[in-house]
Amino acid sequence: MVALTPISRTAPSFYVPVVAAFGAFFGVFIGTGQGSTIGGVLGGAILMGVIAFVLTKVAKNERVSRWGLTLLLAIGGFALAGLPGLFVGAFFGWFFGFLIFWLYEGRYRAKVAPYLTPGQVLWHFSFRTLCGMIFFFLIAPIIIVMPLSFNAENFFTFTPEMLRFDPAGYSLKHYRDFFTNDAWQDAVKNSLYIAPVATLLSVSFGTLAAIGLSQPHVPFRRAIMAILISPMIVPLIISAAGMYFFYSRVGLQGTYIGVVLAHAALGIPFVIITVTATLVGFDNSLTRAAANMGANPVTTFFRVQMPLILPGVISGGLFAFITSFDEVVVVLFVGSAGQKTLPWQMFTGLREQISPTILAVATILVFISICLLTVVELLRRRSERMRGMSPS
Amino acid sequence: MSDAPTAQTASSSAAEARIADAAYTGPMLAADGTPLKKSLNRALRLQKMRALALIAPLLIFVLVTFIAPIADMLFRSVENEIVSETLPRTTTLLANWDAKGTEIPDEAVFEALYDDMFYAIEAKEHTKLGGRLNYELTGMASLFRKSGRKVEDMGEVYQDQFEGLDAFWKTGENWNSFMGSDEWLASMAGWTKADGRQPKFKLREGMADVLPATTATYLKYAAFTQNEDQKNLYTTDPWAIVYSSLHKDLTGENALADYAGPAAEQLKAGAAAATSFETVNFSEAFLDIDKKWHDLDVWTTIKAYSPKLTSGYFLNAIDMQKSVDGAEMRPENQQIYGILFYRTMKMSVIITLSCIMLGYPVAWILANLPARQANLLLILVLLPFWTSLLVRTSAWKVLLQDQGVINDTLVWLGIVATDDRLALINNQTGTIIAMTHILLPFMILPLYSVMQTIQPTYLRAAKSLGATNWTAFWRVYFPQSVPGIGAGSILVFILAIGYYITPAIVGGTEGTFISNRIAYHISSSLNWGLGAALGAILLAAVMLLYYAYDKIVGIDNVKLG
């Protein structure tokens, strides 16, 4: 929806008050930080209003004005609050420079439909700002643990040294702890022993069953599907309780095999869902053609069907892997100290008061999930391309 | 290939076949001559079998590793065999006792209790039973533990008297000489520990008629000594309870008059003396151990929990209790599960609503942006979805703490005072914020996939027909997005009411869910039955929602990523 609305410069009576309002809004924070809210509001409004007018009517050159403003506010910020203030000031300078010329040149209208009323344009941008804030809410907690994990102190917040960007405030000691501490290393090892085996089990059983389920005539399809999906729906605490009771009856509680079986059961729904979704686009005449040319069912499966549904199988496998690798409730109950996995170790770390090594682990895990996400996304696109369902 | 005669032959044979077809009036036949209908049915059946054969391994796997445990848990929520298994005779006799009256049970019940307790103590089952009954009536655990030490001494009154009468009764060898069969005695004589398994005890023929009660007790004692204790039965001295049984036989019905086997002399002497033995009043003896044994509550509780299946755990789980008049509400100050269920529901609803409020605008903007930008922004939704739950929970723990990033920022900005920091963690606020963040992707993804299918032209058409922005959205767009809201809400709600990890870490005591209570009963208080009953109620709620989800969305349409 790229509407090319002709744009024209706006009058100072429009953009000066708007910029002043923004100035007043940010002035609240600086004002309260310095001790006077009212002073902040008035100062911000007047300062920004004047700057807006001067830059557009006196300086006129956009590049020079924006760089100048950024530099000016950066110096102002540094004077007020030191190094962190410098960055905050520079950001404000960049933002107001952008805002002033965006409004002044009328660029804000360029990409919205020409027939919108000013109120609708305002709503359009407020809505985007709101969405931006929600995206910020989604992503900020994950981002914020990363710098904190380089904390030189055993604190869970930014120390003054960190805010001053003092190299002494940062260290790799939590990472060092993670890589040398036996408890963490055993936990990693256990996770890596359990997750791949559980994944293998759920992928091999799950793929076969998904192929069976996508045949045209399956008796009790709905009921079977409901049973196979149920590990995903039943609350984990109930699965964990049931498995704890049942596995201790049959002697699997506290054993490696018990944990692997439990995790495999939990991973199965993900494999079923992704593989059946891939099989929806599978052309069954291909297997018939293969059979026609003399291939037996096993050859047909491995040479024709498998390569085509492989992306779905792999992403199902990744889901199953991450389910097992992330799982903590069931392993808490079904496992014993010998099966202490990484999430378990994190959970105990979080409950008993706690070392920032957890943040280092969290950062590493975020990078692992970024990798997994990339792989799954690429596979999904590939599989859609192969089925001619490519997104634009 | 244009061979005219061949073509002609072919066409003429085809014509013949047509004529033959017309002449044939029976059912249509397949190539091999079977009726086509039958042949097609067989093919269909074969296809079904093949599909089932592919599914079967997984189905069996899930049934064994997942469904069976759930069934086991449901069974445990009503199972109550421990009372009737540990106190078989007592519970049988109690069936005739009037629990609504004011009389405690009579001497016969106490005698049965002595019997049952004695075996339970030998097998160390009495503390387990005490623990079980303690869930229903506080003080039962200590009562059973305390009784354990003293019940063993109760029968010694008879033992001492028999042993005082004749030293013959002191040793196990003498007892075995007339209780055991000759054959067993012979094999026992040459047996040492090095020979492996002890020869199984065999009763002397006719003994069951001569001394019925003693025989029954002695068989139990023999089996226990040989199997559980792994002691040499031949040289072990019998339990005190054997003497009380012997006393019962000698003073009551027996066939001693015709008995002429080993130890007949001692038995007859015993029978003569037994009538003048000092007897034990078991009711008084139990009262001596603890006054509670004459407490009506103790007996009504034992009677109420005698059946093999009980609704007691479920009643507990909904703040009720068993009493002589049937089920009744617990006193106000003991009602905790109702509050907990209500809180779980309330907070799940709040979390679902905040997910709708935050998820709807995001899904809208994802669905209405050009694909390239939408895909980029989608990564911001998928990254939290793929990030470990514990990473996100620990991030929130770090952010929400008193000395955490949010409070520090607010203090730095001067919005809150240093000594007046916001309490964001270890309460309901913390749980709601963290869980909304964690479950938000589960709301956005279904909403997005529904909104993608809504044509933007409808909205433009509505506007060109004169609708205001709000009307166009509310009357045209919103109704079409309701299936997405439904799917997302049910998914988020199902996940929310069963959540355990996040409330446990950021919820404190105020912000915990029913799951945390279940976990507490399973790993700390060890009241498994109650934990299972709470779990069963939660499971029922989830299953109901799952059914609704299946009806609205269909399980097949669940999409991941």
Side-chain angles (χ1 to χ4, degrees), chain A residues 32 120 127 134 137-138 141 156-157 217 221-222 226 238 241 244-247 249 268 326 328 343 350 369, chain B residues 44 47 58 65 72 76 362 364 386 388 390 395 397-398 403 408 413 437 469 501 522 528 535 546 550 556:
Chain A
T32 38
Q120 286 169 338
F127 184 72
I134 299 171
F137 170 72
L138 268 170
F156 283 94
T157 188
H217 303 284
R221 189 169 189 282
R222 262 186 108 79
I238 293 177
Y244 178 63
F245 296 146
F246 185 72
Y247 286 10
R249 257 187 228 271
I268 278 166
D326 256 8
V328 51
L350 280 172
S369 31
Chain B
L44 186 66
Q47 212 173 11
L58 181 70
T65 58
D72 186 25
R76 287 211 191 229
V362 168
W364 160 286
W386 273 92
S388 164
L390 276 154
K397 178 138 187 168
V398 169
Q403 304 293 328
D408 276 358
L413 289 174
H437 173 257
N469 271 343
I501 294 294
I522 288 165
W528 288 5
Y546 181 35
D550 189 25
D556 294 5

Side-chain angles (χ1 to χ4, degrees), chain A residues 130-173:
Chain A
L130 180 78
C131 290
M133 279 154 66
I134 299 171
F135 279 117
F136 178 76
F137 170 72
L138 268 170
I139 208 77
I142 298 170
I143 302 297
I144 218 147
V145 296
M146 296 184 182
L148 279 177
S149 68
F150 295 101
N151 201 332
E153 307 286 331
N154 284 341
F155 292 143
F156 283 94
T157 188
F158 291 100
T159 56
E161 291 82 21
M162 293 181 90
L163 292 172
R164 264 189 269 119
F165 298 101
D166 185 349
Y170 295 86
S171 87
L172 289 170
K173 72 177 213 185

Side-chain angles (χ1 to χ4, degrees), chain A residues 96-121:
Chain A
F96 277 100
F98 166 80
L99 183 73
I100 289 166
F101 283 95
W102 189 62
L103 293 170
Y104 171 60
E105 299 283 355
R107 283 181 205 140
Y108 66 97
R109 285 217 70 138
K111 286 196 178 162
V112 299
Y115 48 78
L116 293 189
T117 62
Q120 286 169 338
V121 175

Side-chain angles (χ1 to χ4, degrees), chain A residues 103-361:
Chain A
L103 293 170
Y104 171 60
E105 299 283 355
R107 283 181 205 140
Y108 66 97
R109 285 217 70 138
K111 286 196 178 162
V112 299
Y115 48 78
L116 293 189
T117 62
Q120 286 169 338
V121 175
L122 179 66
W123 165 244
H124 176 86
F125 287 108
S126 336
F127 184 72
R128 297 243 162 152
T129 315
L130 180 78
C131 290
M133 279 154 66
I134 299 171
F135 279 117
F136 178 76
F137 170 72
L138 268 170
I139 208 77
I142 298 170
I143 302 297
I144 218 147
V145 296
M146 296 184 182
L148 279 177
S149 68
F150 295 101
N151 201 332
E153 307 286 331
N154 284 341
F155 292 143
F156 283 94
T157 188
F158 291 100
T159 56
E161 291 82 21
M162 293 181 90
L163 292 172
R164 264 189 269 119
F165 298 101
D166 185 349
Y170 295 86
S171 87
L172 289 170
K173 72 177 213 185
H174 304 310
Y175 289 87
R176 216 172 297 131
D177 182 40
F178 172 64
F179 284 109
T180 52
N181 191 327
D182 278 346
W184 286 104
Q185 286 306 302
D186 285 348
V188 172
K189 231 175 275 167
N190 279 329
S191 277
L192 289 179
Y193 282 143
I194 291 166
V197 183
T199 309
L200 196 71
L201 272 179
S202 34
V203 168
S204 42
F205 282 129
T207 308
L208 270 189
I211 292 171
L213 279 168
S214 55
Q215 309 272 319
H217 303 284
V218 185
F220 314 114
R221 189 169 189 282
R222 262 186 108 79
I224 291 175
M225 201 69 178
I227 289 176
L228 296 185
I229 302 289
S230 60
M232 192 172 82
I233 302 292
V234 173
L236 276 174
I237 187 71
I238 293 177
S239 318
M243 286 170 170
Y244 178 63
F245 296 146
F246 185 72
Y247 286 10
S248 30
R249 257 187 228 271
V250 294
L252 282 174
Q253 202 272 330
T255 63
Y256 170 73
I257 295 174
V259 177
V260 166
L261 289 180
H263 278 182
L266 294 180
I268 278 166
F270 298 98
V271 179
I272 293 280
I273 288 172
T274 45
V275 179
T276 27
T278 325
L279 282 167
V280 168
F282 182 75
D283 186 355
N284 265 315
S285 50
L286 290 175
T287 53
R288 263 177 257 138
N292 218 355
M293 288 187 249
N296 60 27
V298 177
T299 316
T300 315
F301 176 71
F302 281 108
R303 301 282 299 275
V304 178
Q305 197 163 18
M306 195 62 189
L308 283 169
I309 62 169
L310 197 60
V313 174
I314 293 179
S315 48
L318 287 177
F319 268 109
F321 181 82
I322 204 91
T323 309
S324 165
F325 199 72
D326 256 8
E327 208 291 321
V328 51
V329 187
V330 169
V331 78
L332 266 177
F333 285 89
V334 175
S336 62
Q339 287 86 42
K340 198 166 201 175
T341 58
L342 195 55
W344 185 350
Q345 176 71 24
M346 287 180 82
F347 182 66
T348 27
L350 280 172
R351 292 196 93 173
E352 299 145 17
Q353 192 61 3
I354 47 184
S355 96
T357 309
I358 287 175
L359 298 183
V361 182

